[in-house]
Coordinates of all heavy atoms in Angstrom, one line a residue:
K76 N 301.6 119.5 -6.7 CA 300.6 119.4 -5.7 C 301.3 118.5 -4.5 O 301.9 117.6 -4.6 CB 299.4 118.6 -6.2 CG 298.5 118.0 -5.1 CD 297.2 117.5 -5.6 CE 296.4 116.8 -4.6 NZ 295.1 116.4 -5.0
T77 N 301.1 119.2 -3.3 CA 301.4 118.4 -2.1 C 300.2 118.2 -1.3 O 300.0 117.3 -0.5 CB 302.4 119.1 -1.1 OG1 301.8 120.2 -0.6 CG2 303.7 119.4 -1.9
G78 N 299.1 119.0 -1.5 CA 297.8 118.9 -0.8 C 296.7 119.6 -1.4 O 296.8 120.0 -2.7
G79 N 295.7 119.9 -0.6 CA 294.5 120.4 -1.2 C 294.6 121.9 -1.8 O 293.8 122.2 -2.6
L80 N 295.7 122.6 -1.4 CA 295.9 123.9 -2.0 C 295.9 123.8 -3.5 O 295.2 124.7 -4.2 CB 297.2 124.4 -1.4 CG 297.9 125.5 -2.2 CD1 297.1 126.8 -2.1 CD2 299.3 125.8 -1.8
D82 N 294.5 121.7 -5.5 CA 293.1 121.3 -6.1 C 292.3 122.7 -6.1 O 291.7 123.1 -7.0 CB 292.5 120.3 -5.3 CG 293.1 118.9 -5.2 OD1 294.0 118.8 -4.4 OD2 292.7 118.2 -6.1
H245 N 295.3 128.8 3.6 CA 294.7 127.4 3.4 C 295.1 126.6 4.6 O 294.6 125.7 4.9 CB 295.4 126.7 2.2 CG 294.8 127.4 0.9 ND1 293.7 126.9 0.2 CD2 295.1 128.5 0.2 CE1 293.5 127.5 -0.9 NE2 294.3 128.7 -0.9
N246 N 296.2 127.1 5.4 CA 296.6 126.3 6.5 C 297.4 127.3 7.4 O 298.7 127.6 7.0 CB 297.4 125.1 6.1 CG 297.6 124.1 7.1 OD1 297.6 124.5 8.3 ND2 297.7 122.8 6.7
N328 N 285.7 126.0 0.6 CA 286.1 125.5 -0.7 C 285.0 124.6 -1.4 O 284.3 124.1 -0.6 CB 287.3 124.5 -0.4 CG 288.6 125.2 -0.3 OD1 288.8 126.3 -0.7 ND2 289.6 124.4 0.4
W335 N 286.0 114.8 -9.5 CA 285.4 114.0 -8.4 C 283.9 113.8 -8.6 O 283.2 114.5 -8.0 CB 285.7 114.7 -7.1 CG 287.2 114.7 -6.9 CD1 288.1 115.8 -7.1 CD2 288.0 113.6 -6.4 NE1 289.4 115.3 -6.8 CE2 289.3 114.1 -6.3 CE3 287.7 112.2 -6.0 CZ2 290.4 113.2 -5.9 CZ3 288.7 111.5 -5.5 CH2 290.1 112.0 -5.5
I380 N 292.9 108.7 3.4 CA 294.0 109.1 2.5 C 294.5 110.5 3.2 O 293.7 111.4 3.4 CB 293.4 109.6 1.1 CG1 292.6 108.4 0.6 CG2 294.5 110.1 0.1 CD1 291.7 108.9 -0.6
C381 N 295.8 110.5 3.5 CA 296.3 111.8 3.9 C 297.8 111.9 4.0 O 298.5 111.0 3.9 CB 295.7 112.1 5.4 SG 296.4 111.1 6.6
R382 N 298.1 113.2 4.1 CA 299.6 113.4 4.4 C 299.7 113.1 5.8 O 298.9 113.4 6.7 CB 299.8 115.0 4.3 CG 299.6 115.5 3.0 CD 299.9 117.1 2.9 NE 299.0 117.8 3.6 CZ 299.1 118.5 4.7 NH1 300.3 118.7 5.3 NH2 298.1 119.2 5.4
Q386 N 298.8 117.4 12.0 CA 297.5 117.9 11.7 C 296.3 117.0 11.6 O 295.2 117.2 11.8 CB 297.6 118.8 10.4 CG 296.2 119.5 9.9 CD 296.3 120.0 8.6 OE1 297.3 120.1 8.0 NE2 295.2 120.3 8.0
K387 N 296.7 115.8 10.9 CA 295.6 114.8 10.6 C 295.3 113.9 11.7 O 294.6 112.9 11.5 CB 296.1 114.1 9.3 CG 296.5 115.0 8.2 CD 295.3 115.7 7.6 CE 295.8 116.6 6.5 NZ 294.5 117.5 6.0
L414 N 296.0 105.2 2.4 CA 296.9 105.7 1.4 C 297.5 107.1 1.8 O 296.8 107.9 2.2 CB 296.1 106.0 0.0 CG 296.8 106.8 -1.1 CD1 297.9 106.0 -1.7 CD2 295.8 107.1 -2.2
G415 N 298.8 107.1 1.8 CA 299.4 108.4 2.2 C 301.0 108.2 2.4 O 301.4 107.1 2.4
S416 N 301.5 109.3 2.7 CA 302.9 109.4 3.0 C 303.2 110.5 3.9 O 302.3 111.4 4.0 CB 303.7 109.3 1.7 OG 303.5 110.5 1.1
H438 N 298.9 101.5 1.4 CA 299.8 101.9 0.3 C 300.6 103.2 0.7 O 300.0 104.2 0.8 CB 299.1 102.1 -1.0 CG 299.9 102.5 -2.2 ND1 300.4 101.6 -3.1 CD2 300.3 103.7 -2.6 CE1 301.1 102.2 -4.0 NE2 301.0 103.5 -3.8
G440 N 302.7 106.1 -0.3 CA 303.0 106.7 -1.5 C 301.9 107.7 -1.8 O 300.9 107.9 -1.2
Y441 N 302.0 108.1 -3.1 CA 301.0 109.0 -3.7 C 300.5 108.3 -4.9 O 301.1 107.9 -5.8 CB 301.7 110.3 -4.1 CG 300.7 111.4 -4.5 CD1 300.2 112.2 -3.5 CD2 300.3 111.5 -5.8 CE1 299.2 113.2 -3.8 CE2 299.2 112.4 -6.1 CZ 298.8 113.3 -5.2 OH 297.8 114.2 -5.5
S442 N 299.1 108.3 -5.0 CA 298.5 107.8 -6.2 C 297.0 108.3 -6.4 O 296.2 108.1 -5.6 CB 298.3 106.2 -6.1 OG 297.4 105.7 -7.0
E443 N 296.9 109.1 -7.4 CA 295.6 109.6 -7.8 C 294.6 108.5 -8.0 O 293.4 108.6 -7.5 CB 295.6 110.5 -9.1 CG 296.4 111.9 -8.9 CD 295.6 112.8 -8.2 OE1 294.3 112.8 -8.2 OE2 296.3 113.8 -7.7
E444 N 294.9 107.5 -8.8 CA 294.0 106.3 -9.1 C 293.5 105.7 -7.9 O 292.4 105.5 -7.7 CB 294.7 105.4 -10.0 CG 295.0 105.7 -11.4 CD 296.2 106.7 -11.5 OE1 297.1 106.5 -10.6 OE2 296.3 107.6 -12.4
I445 N 294.5 105.4 -6.9 CA 294.1 104.7 -5.8 C 293.2 105.6 -4.9 O 292.2 105.1 -4.3 CB 295.3 104.1 -4.9 CG1 296.1 103.1 -5.8 CG2 294.8 103.5 -3.6 CD1 297.3 102.6 -5.1
S446 N 293.5 106.9 -4.9 CA 292.7 107.7 -4.1 C 291.2 107.8 -4.6 O 290.3 107.8 -3.8 CB 293.2 109.2 -4.0 OG 293.1 109.9 -5.2
E450 N 287.9 106.5 -2.5 CA 286.7 107.3 -2.3 C 285.4 106.6 -2.8 O 284.3 106.6 -2.2 CB 286.7 108.7 -3.0 CG 287.7 109.6 -2.4 CD 287.3 110.1 -1.0 OE1 286.2 109.7 -0.6 OE2 287.9 110.8 -0.4
M458 N 288.7 110.8 9.0 CA 289.5 112.0 9.1 C 289.5 112.5 10.5 O 288.7 113.5 10.8 CB 288.9 113.1 8.2 CG 289.4 113.0 6.7 SD 288.6 114.3 5.7 CE 289.8 115.5 5.6
E463 N 291.4 121.3 10.7 CA 291.3 121.1 9.3 C 290.7 122.4 8.8 O 289.4 122.6 8.9 CB 290.3 119.9 9.1 CG 290.3 119.3 7.7 CD 291.7 118.8 7.3 OE1 292.1 117.8 7.7 OE2 292.4 119.6 6.5
P464 N 291.4 123.2 8.0 CA 291.0 124.5 7.5 C 289.7 124.3 6.7 O 288.7 125.0 6.8 CB 292.1 125.0 6.8 CG 293.4 124.4 7.4 CD 292.9 123.0 7.9
C465 N 289.8 123.3 5.7 CA 288.5 123.0 5.0 C 288.5 121.4 5.0 O 287.6 120.9 5.5 CB 288.5 123.5 3.6 SG 287.1 123.0 2.8
G466 N 289.4 120.8 4.3 CA 289.5 119.4 4.1 C 288.6 119.1 2.8 O 287.5 119.6 2.5
L467 N 289.3 118.4 1.9 CA 288.5 118.0 0.6 C 287.9 116.6 0.6 O 286.9 116.4 0.2 CB 289.4 118.3 -0.6 CG 289.9 119.8 -0.8 CD1 291.0 119.8 -1.9 CD2 288.8 120.7 -1.1
N468 N 288.8 115.8 1.2 CA 288.4 114.4 1.2 C 287.0 114.1 1.7 O 286.3 113.2 1.3 CB 289.4 113.5 1.8 CG 290.5 113.3 0.9 OD1 291.7 113.7 1.1 ND2 290.3 112.5 -0.2
Q469 N 286.6 114.8 2.8 CA 285.2 114.5 3.4 C 284.2 114.9 2.4 O 283.1 114.2 2.4 CB 285.0 115.2 4.8 CG 284.6 116.6 4.8 CD 285.8 117.6 4.4 OE1 286.9 117.1 4.1 NE2 285.5 118.9 4.5
Y471 N 284.6 114.9 -1.0 CA 284.7 113.8 -2.1 C 283.9 112.6 -1.6 O 283.1 112.0 -2.3 CB 286.1 113.4 -2.3 CG 287.0 114.4 -2.8 CD1 288.4 114.3 -2.6 CD2 286.7 115.5 -3.5 CE1 289.4 115.3 -3.1 CE2 287.6 116.5 -3.9 CZ 288.9 116.4 -3.7 OH 289.8 117.4 -4.1
Ligands
ADP801 P1 295.5 118.8 2.9 O1 295.6 120.0 1.9 O2 295.6 119.4 4.3 O3 296.4 117.7 2.7 P2 292.8 118.3 1.9 O4 291.8 117.3 2.3 O5 292.3 119.6 1.6 O6 294.1 118.2 3.0 O7 293.4 117.8 0.6 C1 294.3 116.7 0.4 C2 294.2 116.3 -1.2 O8 295.4 115.6 -1.4 C3 293.1 115.6 -1.5 O9 292.8 115.7 -2.9 C4 293.7 114.1 -1.3 O10 293.0 113.1 -2.0 C5 295.1 114.3 -1.8 N1 296.0 113.4 -1.3 C6 296.8 113.4 -0.1 N2 297.5 112.4 0.0 C7 297.4 111.6 -1.1 C8 298.0 110.5 -1.6 N3 298.9 109.8 -0.9 N4 297.7 110.1 -2.9 C9 296.8 110.7 -3.6 N5 296.2 111.8 -3.2 C10 296.5 112.3 -2.0

Side-chain angles (χ1 to χ4, degrees):
K76 167 167 168 175
T77 65
L80 163 69
D82 298 86
H245 293 261
N246 195 330
N328 283 335
W335 294 97
I380 307 166
C381 74
R382 295 180 292 116
Q386 174 195 347
K387 303 294 179 182
L414 167 67
S416 61
H438 178 92
Y441 189 92
S442 165
E443 286 288 336
E444 290 76 26
I445 300 178
S446 75
E450 289 296 358
M458 273 178 98
E463 197 60 75
C465 177
L467 299 175
N468 279 112
Q469 82 283 7
Y471 300 155

